[in-house]
Amino acid sequence: MPARSTRRQFLGRTAALGAASLLPAASWGRVLRANDRLRIASIGCGGKGWSDLVATAASPHVDVVALCNIDESKDHLGRAAEKYSSAKLYTDWRRLLDEANTFDAVIVSTPDHMHAPISLPAMQLKKHVQCQKPLTHTVHEARQMQTAAKKYGVVTQMGNQIQSHTAYRTAVAAVHAGVIGKVHEVHSWQAGKCRWRTVDDRPAGTEPVPTWVHWDEWLGVAPERPYVSKVYHDFNWRNWQDFSNGQLGDFGCHILDPVFMALKLTAPTTIRGEAPPMNREVWPKSEKIVYEFPGTELTVGKSIRVTWYDGDDVFPPREALGLPESYKLPGSGSVLLGEKGSMVIPHVAMPMLFPEERFSETDMPVVAARDHYTSWADACRGEDQATSNFDYSAPLTETVLLGTIAARLPGTTLSWDAATMKLGGAADVQAMLTKKYRKGWEPAWI
Ligand SMILES: NC(=O)c1ccc[n+]([C@@H]2O[C@H](COP(=O)([O-])OP(=O)(O)OC[C@H]3O[C@@H](n4cnc5c(N)ncnc54)[C@H](O)[C@@H]3O)[C@@H](O)[C@H]2O)c1
C-alpha cells in the first residue's frame, strides 16, 4: 500500500486545488541564453516520468522547480518531492499552468490521453515541451502539437529516447550511407507479452478512490468511469482505447522511428489493418498493419511498403525476410530489405547485416549516442538541437495512430492525404481522426 503520510507531509508545498479556466490567460515565455538556468516542471513524475525527470535534471543547467502528480503516494509524487525538495507540488496541472511565470519548460509523462491536453496550453504559454511517446492519443491532436510548436516557437522533444541510442543512430547512418543500397520493403514487429492486459472488458462495479489519488484529474479529458484498482492507474491504462493506443501505440514510435528516419518517410498514402474483432473498450491482442509510403531517395520505386506486426509471439513470416534459418529474430525490431542486402535493427541492439558473408568486410561506423534528455534542455537554452522535435515526431505519431484506426476496420484499405488530413476508404472514418472530450475538459486547440 502506498505511503499515505506523503499527503500531509507535502501539503504545505502543494498548490491549492480549485476550479479555474483551462486556457492560459497570458504568455510567460522567457528567451533563454546559454548562461541562463532552465526551470523545469514535471507533470506525471512517477513511472517513466521519474526517469524523464532525473535524466533531464542531470543537466548542470537545470533547476526542478515544480512537480505535478495526481497520485500523492511515495512511488509517484512522493519520491520526486523528496529528491527535489525545493520544488513546488501540484496535483492538478491546470494550477501549475496558472503559475506560468515560475517555470520555462515542462516534461509531460502522463498516460497518453493527457499528452496533448496538457502540452497544447503549455506551448501557448511559450513553454518548451518534452512529451512522452506516442506524442498524442489522436491524429488531430498530433497535427495540433506540430502546428503549436511552430506557431509558438518553442523547443520540443518526444520521449522516444532510443532514437539517441548508438544502435539506432548507427543503423540510420548506415542506411543513409547506402550500406544495404536502396530499400524495397520493411517489416517491423513487437512480439512481446502485454503485461498490461489484465482484463478483456470493463470491470463491473467500483471501488473507493484512495485518498491519495485524484481520480477526476487522472481521467482528465476522457469520459468518466468508476475507479477500479490495478485496471487503469497506474501502467495498465495501456489496455484501454480511452487512454491509449494499445501495443502499436506503445511501441510504434520506438520501433518505426529508425525506419522513418533512415528512409526519410513522411506520411503513408494507404493503410490496411488486420486484427481480431474488438469491443469498444480494449485494444486487440494482435495487429498487422500494412502501410504504403511514397518512395524517397532511399527507397526503390514509387512507393515502399512497411508492415507492422504485434501480439504475443507474433513475428513476420520468415519467408518474407530472407534471413538464414539459424538466425533467431529479436523479440522486437525491424528488417529493412535493400538492393545489396538486409539490415536487422533489433529493439534495442546494434544493427546486423545479412547475408553475413557478403558484409563480412563492410565497415559500419558506430555513431555515438546523444543524451536525449539533456540535449532538449540545452536546446531550450539555445544550444544543441532536439532531434525528435514535434516537426519530426508528430508525423511519426500520426503514422502510428493511423495504424490503430486501420486495426479497428480490419480488411479495409484506408487512403490518407496528409496535406489536407483527409482519411478515406470507409464510411465515417474521417471522424476517427479525433474523439469526444469530456465536457469542461475540452483541450485548448490552437
Ligand atoms: N519512452 C519510453 O521508453 C517509455 C517507457 C514507458 C512509458 N512511456 C510513456 O510514458 C508515459 C507514462 O507511462 P507510464 O508507464 O509511466 O505510466 P504510469 O501510469 O506508470 O505513470 C504515469 C505517472 O503520471 C501520473 N499521472 C497520471 N495522470 C496524470 C495527470 N493528469 N497529471 C499529473 N500526473 C499524472 C501517475 O500518477 C504516474 O505517476 C506514457 O505516455 C507512456 O507511453 C515511455
Side-chain angles (χ1 to χ4, degrees):
M1 175 149 126
R4 266 188 256 196
S5 59
T6 55
R7 185 181 176 88
R8 196 158 296 126
Q9 200 175 324
F10 297 140
L11 213 56
R13 284 164 60 195
T14 307
L17 305 172
S21 71
L22 270 178
L23 271 170
S27 160
W28 292 101
R30 195 167 71 104
V31 178
L32 294 164
R33 296 196 172 74
N35 288 333
D36 289 331
R37 298 191 65 73
L38 181 73
R39 301 168 302 164
I40 59 169
S42 158
I43 304 175
C45 51
K48 182 68 181 84
W50 166 253
S51 62
D52 292 344
L53 174 62
V54 173
T56 309
S59 160
H61 308 295
V62 160
D63 291 324
V64 179
V65 297
L67 300 166
C68 175
N69 203 309
I70 59 83
D71 185 328
E72 297 181 54
S73 68
K74 190 164 179 293
D75 287 345
H76 296 273
L77 188 59
R79 183 164 50 155
E82 206 170 295
K83 184 167 171 71
Y84 302 102
S85 55
S86 60
K88 188 161 177 181
L89 308 182
Y90 299 82
T91 56
D92 186 335
W93 56 273
R94 297 168 298 179
R95 301 294 76 75
L96 167 67
L97 295 195
D98 284 344
E99 299 182 346
N101 58 336
T102 62
F103 60 96
D104 306 306
V106 291
I107 304 176
V108 180
S109 311
T110 62
D112 305 348
H113 69 293
M114 292 307 293
H115 289 176
I118 297 173
S119 300
L120 285 171
M123 287 191 276
Q124 290 171 32
L125 288 162
K126 301 252 177 71
K127 302 302 166 192
H128 306 299
V129 176
Q130 180 189 139
C131 180
Q132 259 309 329
K133 56 84 229 167
L135 193 57
T136 60
H137 193 217
T138 73
V139 173
H140 172 251
E141 288 177 349
R143 194 61 68 92
Q144 283 272 314
M145 293 277 261
Q146 184 180 13
T147 311
K150 265 203 200 92
K151 178 169 174 182
Y152 298 103
V154 291
V155 176
T156 55
Q157 177 89 304
M158 183 169 78
N160 51 333
Q161 76 281 11
I162 316 300
Q163 181 183 96
S164 298
H165 192 285
T166 185
Y168 275 12
R169 282 165 62 77
T170 298
V172 169
V175 175
H176 287 176
V179 167
I180 56 168
K182 292 192 178 194
V183 173
H184 55 84
E185 190 159 7
V186 179
H187 297 268
S188 299
W189 68 96
Q190 155 59 23
K193 275 206 182 336
C194 302
R195 281 189 293 133
W196 36 265
R197 189 177 295 288
T198 54
V199 292
D200 290 331
D201 209 341
R202 199 187 284 225
T206 183
E207 291 173 24
V209 181
T211 53
W212 55 90
V213 172
H214 298 257
W215 180 238
D216 200 47
E217 282 80 3
W218 189 92
L219 284 172
V221 300
E224 272 180 67
R225 67 171 70 204
Y227 174 85
V228 181
S229 60
K230 299 193 175 66
V231 173
Y232 310 115
H233 169 67
D234 51 3
F235 189 78
N236 294 336
W237 49 265
R238 285 166 172 77
N239 199 14
W240 301 90
Q241 293 169 21
D242 275 352
F243 314 122
S244 152
N245 281 283
Q247 185 82 318
L248 173 53
D250 205 18
F251 278 95
C253 286
H254 280 312
I255 294 166
L256 293 175
D257 178 20
V259 176
F260 226 70
M261 200 167 248
L263 303 183
K264 301 190 180 173
L265 300 180
T266 49
T269 48
T270 65
I271 314 108
R272 186 179 174 87
E274 284 173 26
M278 68 177 100
N279 60 22
R280 297 185 73 87
E281 295 287 350
V282 300
W283 289 101
K285 291 197 163 98
S286 65
E287 295 162 303
K288 175 182 171 191
I289 313 291
V290 182
Y291 296 101
E292 299 283 346
F293 290 89
T296 71
E297 82 232 43
L298 291 141
T299 67
V300 178
K302 284 203 173 114
S303 66
I304 170 114
R305 176 173 294 182
V306 177
T307 308
W308 167 270
Y309 312 78
D310 67 54
D312 188 1
D313 225 17
V314 175
F315 289 89
R318 285 302 295 218
E319 62 277 14
L321 306 180
L323 298 171
E325 277 304 310
S326 55
Y327 174 68
K328 186 174 181 306
L329 286 177
S332 51
S334 298
V335 179
L336 279 59
L337 300 161
E339 290 166 317
K340 299 186 200 163
S342 299
M343 176 185 285
V344 179
I345 310 178
H347 179 74
V348 180
M350 289 307 265
M352 298 180 67
L353 300 172
F354 293 94
E356 280 170 301
E357 57 285 5
R358 193 182 300 162
F359 289 105
S360 59
E361 304 289 307
T362 302
D363 187 24
M364 190 160 54
V366 172
V367 182
R370 281 166 59 84
D371 188 315
H372 202 70
Y373 304 95
T374 58
S375 60
W376 168 75
D378 288 343
C380 296
R381 295 167 47 260
E383 298 182 330
D384 209 340
Q385 286 190 336
T387 53
S388 200
N389 58 67
F390 294 175
D391 228 18
Y392 170 80
S393 52
L396 171 61
T397 300
E398 284 185 16
T399 298
V400 166
L401 301 186
L402 286 165
T404 69
I405 294 175
R408 294 184 206 208
L409 300 163
T412 308
T413 300
L414 302 177
S415 59
W416 175 238
D417 181 342
T420 58
M421 293 193 78
K422 288 274 175 288
L423 185 62
D428 302 329
V429 71
Q430 184 76 18
M432 295 171 81
L433 297 174
T434 185
K435 63 181 182 181
K436 285 207 172 77
Y437 293 85
R438 184 149 66 115
K439 202 163 178 311
W441 284 88
E442 294 83 0
W445 303 122
I446 58 155

